[in-house]
Amino acid sequence: MFNKVPRVTADFWIVKLLAVTVGETAADYMNLDLGLGLSLTSWILATFLTATLALQFFQTKYVPWVYWAAVVLISVVGTLVTDNLVDNFGVPLETTTIVFSIALAITFAVWYALERTLSIHTIYTSRREAFYWLAILFTFALGTSAGDWFAEGFGLGYLQTGLIFAAIIALIALAYFVLGMDGILAFWLAYILTRPLGASLGDLLAQPADYGGLGFGTTVTSFIFLGSIAAVVIYMTITHEGEEAVQPESEGEESAPLTFQMDPTED
């Protein structure tokens, strides 16, 4: 039996950061550059996300292109959820930050109450995977709210906001590798914070110089990062990077992950 989500490796964080950057720029590209508007963009991408997640749930193990397609789409949809609340309904960013924090905490609480674990190494049932993707959706919505709140509400700008979140992630890494911070807590904190880091990077590259960006535009920025994601995902597929076998629990005992490595001599 295989885990349906990838092991956390350096490649994982590289693609995650690229995906959240695309989430910011692709939403702006469809909404503004293509003139689809926020509502229509949201419906289109939510439909694609639903289809991709259905395909993901049918898999019996981690399949890189399916999994990361879902991550890219859920990144965009998570961004659009926050944008709709703020732009269409006038909800303040500090309110959306608090609301999504509570929603994420409730998701984790219910997940743990039912499964007795929040481990990402044992996602091999549909219920666990449903909690996993719901948590990811809220992390993207929360990360968007928190990042925009810092960049716009406090007037810090894209570069300064990105550096702040990068520093916080570095502190989490230090706490995990040196001070023995709980791995599950460290993972989810870093997962949340890479969203505003990636969004700040995307805005810095895409926005005009008058708005504090470098002026590459959403089209160029989106395709650069999508191409980079495709290259890393192809590498993961060839090398089976991230695949992980698990031993199912018995009577509530959490399983230990077994790193899956292909024999290089196999055809």
Side-chain angles (χ1 to χ4, degrees), residues 201-249:
L201 176 60
D203 284 334
L204 177 65
L205 294 172
Q207 295 300 320
D210 293 343
Y211 292 93
L214 297 179
F216 289 105
T218 55
T219 305
V220 173
T221 304
S222 296
F223 280 102
I224 287 175
F225 281 89
L226 281 172
S228 301
I229 291 171
V232 180
V233 169
I234 290 172
Y235 167 78
M236 289 178 168
T237 303
I238 294 173
T239 62
H240 297 271
E241 179 72 44
E243 290 186 13
E244 184 175 45
V246 296
Q247 180 66 41
E249 306 98 297

Side-chain angles (χ1 to χ4, degrees), residues 33-88:
D33 292 20
L34 295 183
L36 297 179
L38 198 54
S39 298
L40 181 57
T41 299
S42 301
W43 282 111
I44 292 173
L45 291 173
T47 301
F48 278 108
L49 174 61
T50 301
T52 305
L53 283 178
L55 181 61
Q56 166 66 25
F57 272 81
F58 274 114
Q59 306 305 311
T60 57
K61 67 176 184 177
Y62 163 60
V63 178
W65 75 268
V66 178
Y67 174 87
W68 288 109
V71 170
V72 170
L73 286 168
I74 207 167
S75 171
V76 182
V77 171
T79 298
L80 291 169
V81 168
T82 295
D83 289 346
N84 273 285
L85 289 173
V86 174
D87 296 341
N88 289 342

Side-chain angles (χ1 to χ4, degrees), residues 13 17 161-181 186-187 189-197:
W13 290 116
L17 185 59
T161 300
L163 291 175
I164 289 172
F165 283 106
I168 297 173
I169 292 171
L171 290 175
I172 293 171
L174 177 66
Y176 172 69
F177 287 109
V178 178
L179 303 178
M181 184 180 187
F187 170 80
L189 286 176
Y191 204 99
I192 293 169
L193 294 170
T194 49
R195 175 62 187 86
L197 173 60

Side-chain angles (χ1 to χ4, degrees), residues 108 111 118 120 132 135-136 139 183-192:
F108 285 138
W111 181 356
L118 298 177
I120 60 169
Y132 177 87
I136 284 180
T139 63
I184 294 175
L185 176 61
F187 170 80
W188 286 111
L189 286 176
Y191 204 99
I192 293 169

